[in-house]
């Protein structure tokens, strides 16, 4: 029997090896105990599983960083998803979060953004990171937030018993692909790099030293770093595939060892390989025949948090401006008259400022006239295709019903709005139209009072047709008289771009004067004035 | 107390969604993760502008699964955090809402409800996620859900939501709706010193011997409560472990029935033991009522008109508004059921909270729903007629005129 196929005990005998006397056994503290939750041991992992090595290389890297780079390990947080690999979070004596399947990366994103002092590391399985959590993985790489993602790839879903996963090689076998995997796997380094990761590496657990060195680098990399760790799953994957020699009667440990030997045969270290070429090649039986390993990419770029921080100064400026406007608002004398429930409908098309006109009325009533005011705008299909509708309810009393029951006045700026809203106006109500845009129908309602003025034309003459809504607001204020003129002017002032303020106030005043004039003259287009 | 920098004390004419954002900021929220969805998007939009002004972080995640988890992560970094969504996103958040419950993580989730199921009516109102709010994540738990009726209340209740979540270490839901979220009204933002702000009791570096610290412990704490233990944050030196698995006091997984009993009773009892403190209702004219309208959110608000009209018809109608839908005010309904003829439960769904009213009425009083599928608020005459029916009066289907409503308001 060739030596490599012998069972350990046989081989040891063959080599003339004598086990040490019990008195020579190493006892006491293991050098890694400080970073392990000893009270949680023994761990749940199978004999021959690669996860132990993945964990110890990670701990080794941290210890090195503590010793040589002065890292405070109290500031390191580990986040895992669900799976055998996910259990790592439960064994490290660090702040550690065992989250849900696939969601370790977004959890880590929240941790890191909320406390940038933390060094946040995600350790999870290939199913967790590239399957159910694949979307989070590519987006984290794209964002380039400084977190390190270590994905232990054992080519299958270990925890649930060895089902096929997103990294299972083509034609390889798993408990759910016993005829061979008909899908193709991800090349994780390539996926990470294409998504924007600025540090990308891969090692098998056989190369524990190299892996540990790479982890040190990844953990200190400014920006998103990704390390794929290829590890044997002795219980599941190795059982179904030739690398582990199938069902080995001599036990799991041996099966894991066989996989490690296989890694030794097929692993090829090629630093700097383009991630696209950093392949895990398989033969037609799905047996892995080559694993390219090494550090493929190390190309730092500005980190997300730094980019966010740069916006703070601008944000502060915006706030100061808003605060100043808020604090410098004039106070108007309180109104003592009672305003009954008054409903206003505004209608037109997008771009005419219908929504903002409605808001201006509401704000004037609520803030400067001390009334109750409820402003709503039309959403839904009716707000598509360019139609715009706004509703305001004003009252001295609480407004229980926010929608219009029967509006008593209306500002209409388009033909469509005319057809849609005019039938709902209360008998005796006041309809105000932009007479340049809206033509009255022959059968126009005679039981309402209709006034018009060519608001858009007036605004154009003032130099900006976008002030047409303001002309109509002035007109409405004079005609309907529920909200005071000063309140409306102030609300206009608050709402229009400062550069257009003078023009808008002029537009408002023209509309207002025209309103007073038409009302006094009693010359509505239709109806009794 | 939150720092005054970035606050906007004063009177505003604000959209409900914006008011929620302002409430959050005043409550000390400094992290928001979300994903755009009508009609909750405006909360995210406002937060994206406002959080950088107060030194907070806004981030748009790749989906709602990510949003919910980022919020939990931020909370474990010691920062008050919030997300906002609507139906489809609420469904996506359910699994990790459960994680938040299991890890006893304070955070706030706003659901601006729209019509469902599925994509449903993106822009229009619904109240159809009320039972999902209660039972939507798998497993057994208790939850807190608040239902505002106006932008001002969306502001106020967002602050309360943060306070409750910090106090009870539980995610708190704000179950508002498209109508309240998109409506614009006056909102008064008071000076910060007038607002009570609760912070989680947090153990900091050096406070306790790390080995003695227990992240989940039954026993008396600063809050005098048996089930809420102080939290700590990542980076404070306690090297904590938390897991969505059933766990013990240290957060370590323990897979057996006894541990599960301990775990779940803790989650449930910490809310049940404080029902009286948490439950908030608004009652009106309940003393002599023969019919009581029980409602919440926008449907409670729109019921006030028909109630007024019914009273003018001589029906003695009372009003009980659920400011907290969850926990449900069992006791109040039980007491009322013994002396009223009927309950009317208006809601924009096919009958969800009515089940709770029926459960507590225990057959002692008639329970009638006023329901519609969503897309619009309840018509006043609809609710009025159900009140009439509940009182044993004739139903009339002609619509009351605007004038009738106007005088009813006075
Ligand atoms: C939402 C959800 N779906 C499914 C599961 C069941 N589940 C637990 S672990 C796991 C697979 C883990 O595989 P992988 O991430 O590759 O980790 P490994 O166990 O191989 O280390 C699955 C599917 C779950 N916990 N949650
Ligand atoms: S099932 Fe596989 S991955 Fe999981 S512990 Fe066992 S060997 Fe490791």
């Amino acid at each position: 029997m060739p030596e490599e196929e012998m069972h350990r005990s046989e081989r040891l005998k063959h080599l003339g090896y004598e086990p040490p006397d019990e008195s020579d056994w190493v006892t006491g503290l293991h050098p890694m105990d400080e970073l392990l939750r000893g009270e949680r041991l023994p761990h749940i992992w199978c004999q021959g599983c690669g996860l132990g090595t993945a964990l110890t290389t990670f701990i080794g890297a941290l210890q090195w960083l503590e010793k040589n780079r002065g890292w405070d390990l109290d500031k390191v947080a580990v986040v895992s998803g669900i799976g055998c690999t996910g259990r790592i979070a439960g064994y490290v004596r660090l702040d550690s979060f065992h989250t849900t399947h696939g969601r370790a990366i977004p959890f880590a994103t929240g941790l890191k953004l909320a406390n940038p002092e933390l060094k946040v590391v995600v350790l999870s399985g290939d199913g967790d990171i590239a399957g159910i959590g694949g979307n989070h993985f590519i987006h984290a790489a794209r964002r380039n937030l400084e977190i390190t993602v270590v994905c232990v790839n054992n080519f299958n879903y270990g925890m649930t018993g060895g089902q096929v996963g997103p990294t299972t090689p083509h034609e390889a076998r798993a408990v759910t692909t016993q005829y061979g995997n008909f899908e193709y796997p991800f090349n994780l380094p390539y996926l990470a790099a294409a998504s924007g990761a600025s540090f990308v590496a891969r090692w098998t657990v056989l190369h524990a030293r190299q892996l540990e060195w790479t982890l040190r680098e990844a953990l200190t990399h400014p920006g998103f770093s990704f390390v794929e760790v290829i590890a044997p799953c002795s219980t599941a994957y190795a059982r179904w595939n030739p690398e582990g020699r199938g069902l080995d009667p001599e036990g799991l440990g041996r099966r894991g060892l066989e996989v490690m030997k296989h890694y030794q045969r097929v692993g090829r270290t090629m630093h700097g390989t383009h991630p696209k070429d950093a392949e895990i090649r398989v033969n037609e039986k799905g047996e892995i025949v080559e694993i390219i390993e090494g550090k493929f990419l190390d190309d730092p770029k500005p980190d997300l948090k730094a980019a966010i921080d740069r916006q703070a100064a601008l944000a502060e400026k915006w706030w100061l401006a808003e605060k100043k406007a808020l604090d410098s608002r004039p106070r108007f004398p309180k109104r003592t008259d009672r305003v009954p429930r008054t409903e206003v409908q505004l209608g037109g098309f997008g771009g005419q400022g219908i929504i903002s006109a409605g808001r201006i009325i509401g704000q004037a009533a609520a803030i400067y006239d001390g009334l109750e005011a409820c402003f709503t705008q039309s959403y839904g299909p009716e707000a598509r295709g360019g139609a715009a509708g706004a509703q305001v309810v004003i009252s001295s009393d609480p407004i229980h019903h926010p929608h219009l029951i029967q509006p008593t006045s209306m500002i209409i700026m388009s033909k469509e709005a005319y057809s849609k809203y005019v039938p709902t106006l209360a008998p005796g109500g006041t309809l105000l139209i932009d007479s340049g845009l809206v033509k009255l129908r022959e059968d126009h309602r005679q039981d309402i009072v209709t006034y018009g003025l060519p608001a858009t034309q007036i605004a154009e003459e003032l130099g900006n047709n976008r002030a047409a809504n303001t002309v109509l607001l002035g007109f409405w204020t004079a005609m309907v008289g529920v909200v005071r003129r000063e309140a409306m002017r102030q609300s206009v002032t608050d709402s229009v771009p400062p550069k257009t303020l003078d023009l808008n106030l002029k537009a408002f005043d023209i509309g207002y004067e025209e309103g007073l004039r038409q009302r006094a003259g009693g010359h509505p287009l239709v109806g009794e004035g | 107390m939150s720092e005054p920098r970035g606050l906007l004390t004063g009177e505003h004419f604000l959209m409900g969604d914006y008011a929620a954002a302002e409430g959050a900021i005043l409550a000390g929220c400094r992290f928001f993760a979300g994903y755009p969805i009508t009609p909750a998007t405006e909360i995210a939009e406002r937060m994206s502008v406002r959080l950088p002004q107060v030194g907070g972080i806004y981030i748009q995640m790749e989906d709602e699964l990510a949003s919910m988890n980022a919020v939990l992560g931020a909370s474990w970094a010691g920062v008050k955090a919030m997300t906002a969504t609507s139906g489809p996103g609420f469904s996506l958040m359910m699994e990790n809402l459960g994680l938040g419950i299991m890890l006893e993580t304070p955070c706030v989730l706003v659901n601006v409800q729209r019509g469902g199921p599925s994509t449903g009516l993106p822009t229009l109102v619904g109240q159809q996620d009320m039972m999902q709010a209660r039972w939507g994540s798998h497993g057994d738990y208790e939850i807190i859900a608040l239902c505002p009726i106006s932008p001002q209340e969306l502001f106020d209740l967002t602050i309360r939501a943060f306070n409750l979540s910090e106090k009870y270490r539980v995610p708190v839901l704000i179950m508002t709706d498209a109508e309240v979220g998109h409506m614009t009204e006056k909102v008064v933002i008071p000076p910060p010193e007038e607002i009570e702000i609760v912070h989680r009791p947090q153990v900091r570096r050096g406070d306790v011997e790390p080995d003695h610290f227990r992240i989940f412990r039954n026993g008396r704490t600063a809050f005098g409560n048996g089930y809420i233990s102080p939290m700590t944050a990542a980076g404070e030196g306690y090297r904590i472990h938390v897991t969505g698995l059933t766990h013990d006091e240290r957060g370590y997984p323990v897979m057996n029935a006894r541990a599960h009993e301990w775990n779940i009773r803790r989650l449930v009892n910490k809310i049940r033991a404080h029902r009286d403190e948490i439950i908030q209702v608004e009652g009106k004219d309940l003393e002599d009522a023969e019919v009581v309208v029980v409602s919440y959110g926008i449907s409670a608000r729109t019921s006030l008109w028909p109630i007024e009209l019914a009273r003018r018809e001589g029906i003695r109608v009372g009003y009980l508004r659920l400011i907290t839908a969850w926990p449900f005010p069992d006791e109040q309904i039980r007491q009322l059921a013994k002396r009223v003829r009927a309950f009317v439960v208006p809601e924009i769904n096919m009958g969800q909270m009515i089940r709770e009213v029926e459960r507590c009425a225990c057959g002692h009083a008639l329970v009638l729903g006023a329901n519609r599928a969503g897309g619009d608020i309840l018509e006043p005459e609809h609710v009025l007629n159900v009140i009439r029916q509940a009182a044993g009066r004739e139903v009339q289907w002609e619509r009351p005129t605007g004038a009738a409503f106007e005088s009813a308001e006075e």
Side-chain angles (χ1 to χ4, degrees), chain B residues 124-348:
Chain B
L124 300 175
V125 68
Q127 294 184 307
Q128 300 163 328
D129 309 342
M130 298 307 296
M131 282 293 165
Q132 187 182 17
R134 177 64 188 85
W135 302 108
S137 196
H138 56 280
D140 228 338
Y141 56 88
E142 286 279 343
I143 194 93
I144 301 175
L146 312 178
C147 300
I149 57 166
S150 64
Q152 179 70 54
E153 211 178 65
L154 201 33
F155 173 86
D156 297 337
L157 289 186
T158 303
I159 297 174
R160 179 152 199 257
F162 272 99
N163 287 349
L164 290 169
S165 83
E166 293 284 314
K167 183 161 181 181
Y168 298 107
R169 271 187 71 177
V170 68
V172 172
L173 308 177
I174 299 177
M175 297 299 290
T176 186
D177 54 72
E179 204 60 49
V180 174
H182 270 170
M183 139 196 322
T184 303
E185 288 187 326
K186 182 160 86 179
V187 174
V188 180
I189 300 183
E193 60 274 13
E194 285 178 17
I195 298 286
E196 193 213 344
I197 305 285
V198 177
H199 289 285
R200 64 192 74 169
Q202 184 157 315
V203 174
R204 297 199 179 276
R205 190 179 273 271
D207 286 353
V208 187
E209 180 59 40
D211 281 349
H212 296 170
F213 180 62
R214 297 288 178 267
I215 191 77
F216 306 108
R217 164 164 273 178
N218 293 351
R220 296 196 90 68
T221 71
F223 283 124
N225 173 291
Y227 301 98
I228 303 149
S229 38
M231 226 174 139
T232 189
E236 293 287 341
Y238 290 93
R239 310 240 178 142
I240 50 161
H241 178 66
V242 291
T243 173
L245 290 166
T246 295
H247 47 257
D248 62 13
E249 291 187 338
R250 282 195 282 196
Y252 292 168
V254 183
M255 301 298 108
N256 63 45
R258 207 168 133 248
H260 198 61
E261 194 75 27
W262 176 86
N263 216 165
I264 300 311
R265 286 206 182 273
R266 188 181 148 76
L267 298 182
V268 167
N269 288 347
K270 72 174 176 181
I271 304 298
R272 289 193 184 162
H274 296 92
R275 295 172 56 85
D276 294 347
E277 254 175 78
I278 299 167
I279 291 174
Q280 203 183 358
V281 294
E282 181 191 353
K284 229 176 83 179
D285 301 327
L286 291 170
E287 296 70 34
D288 68 334
E290 53 181 320
V291 173
V292 172
V293 173
V294 181
S295 192
Y296 54 93
I298 188 64
S299 297
R301 174 170 169 162
T302 57
S303 296
L304 288 166
W305 248 359
I307 288 174
E308 200 49 50
L309 291 174
R311 289 190 78 87
R312 282 198 283 144
E313 287 180 11
I315 306 172
R316 297 192 310 279
V317 193
Y319 170 74
L320 187 77
R321 173 162 80 90
L322 313 176
I323 298 173
T324 45
W326 306 115
F328 189 78
D330 292 17
E331 204 37 48
Q332 281 93 331
I333 300 289
R334 252 183 228 131
Q335 292 306 327
L336 283 169
K338 289 185 194 148
R339 53 187 170 86
V340 305
R341 175 191 166 98
F343 291 104
V344 171
V345 188
E347 43 182 348
I348 306 173

Side-chain angles (χ1 to χ4, degrees), chain A residues 51 82-86 101 125-129 132 152 154 156-160, chain B residues 95:
Chain A
L51 281 165
I82 300 295
C84 298
T85 316
H101 195 25
D126 51 292
D128 194 83
I129 282 177
I132 192 167
V152 179
N154 51 23
N156 76 154
Y157 283 41
M159 174 66 92
T160 40
Chain B
E95 184 197 8

Side-chain angles (χ1 to χ4, degrees), chain A residues 161-172:
Chain A
Q163 297 78 17
V164 70
T167 56
T168 309
H170 189 57
E171 292 301 350

Side-chain angles (χ1 to χ4, degrees), chain A residues 37 39 74-75 89 93 95-96 98 100 136 143 316 319 329 341 359 375 379-380 398-400 403, chain B residues 5-7 11 13 62 70 96 123 179 182 184 205 235 239-243 252 301 305 376 409:
Chain A
R37 295 185 192 272
E39 66 276 27
D74 280 348
K75 298 286 175 197
R93 187 172 298 289
D95 282 324
S96 50
H98 186 221
T100 44
H136 309 312
R143 277 189 198 107
E316 170 100 17
W319 168 64
R329 266 188 196 158
R341 183 179 168 104
R359 213 186 160 279
F375 159 71
Y379 287 91
I399 296 164
H400 299 321
H403 286 190
Chain B
R5 178 166 83 101
L7 297 188
E11 282 185 1
F13 194 56
E62 50 275 14
N96 297 291
T123 58
E179 204 60 49
H182 270 170
T184 303
R205 190 179 273 271
R239 310 240 178 142
I240 50 161
H241 178 66
V242 291
T243 173
Y252 292 168
R301 174 170 169 162
W305 248 359
D376 208 343
E409 279 233 324

Side-chain angles (χ1 to χ4, degrees), chain A residues 62-181:
Chain A
L62 286 179
Q63 286 180 324
W64 187 88
L65 289 166
E66 185 183 31
K67 186 151 165 250
N68 298 288
R69 295 284 180 274
W71 272 34
D72 174 4
L73 299 189
D74 280 348
K75 298 286 175 197
V76 176
V78 169
V79 187
S80 289
I82 300 295
C84 298
T85 316
R87 287 302 191 97
I88 283 182
Y91 299 128
V92 286
R93 187 172 298 289
L94 293 166
D95 282 324
S96 50
F97 300 89
H98 186 221
T99 63
T100 44
H101 195 25
R103 316 301 163 204
I105 291 177
F107 193 102
T109 303
L111 259 182
K112 176 70 181 178
L113 280 172
N115 184 359
E117 261 191 27
L118 297 174
K119 182 72 226 179
V120 181
V121 190
V122 171
L123 282 150
S124 224
D126 51 292
D128 194 83
I129 282 177
I132 192 167
N135 198 31
H136 309 312
F137 176 56
I138 57 175
H139 283 277
R142 170 182 68 77
R143 277 189 198 107
N144 200 37
L145 179 66
E146 191 189 306
I147 57 175
T148 299
V149 173
V150 180
C151 175
V152 179
N153 178 3
N154 51 23
F155 302 114
N156 76 154
Y157 283 41
M159 174 66 92
T160 40
Q163 297 78 17
V164 70
T167 56
T168 309
H170 189 57
E171 292 301 350
R173 296 197 321 141
V175 71
T176 49
T177 51
Q178 298 191 28
Y179 307 123
N181 179 18

Side-chain angles (χ1 to χ4, degrees), chain A residues 479-499:
Chain A
M479 283 290 180
V480 177
V482 255
V483 185
R484 288 180 297 187
R485 180 183 186 183
E486 317 81 76
M488 285 294 290
R489 280 183 110 250
Q490 185 56 40
S491 186
V492 169
T493 306
D494 295 345
S495 310
V496 300
K499 269 188 287 186

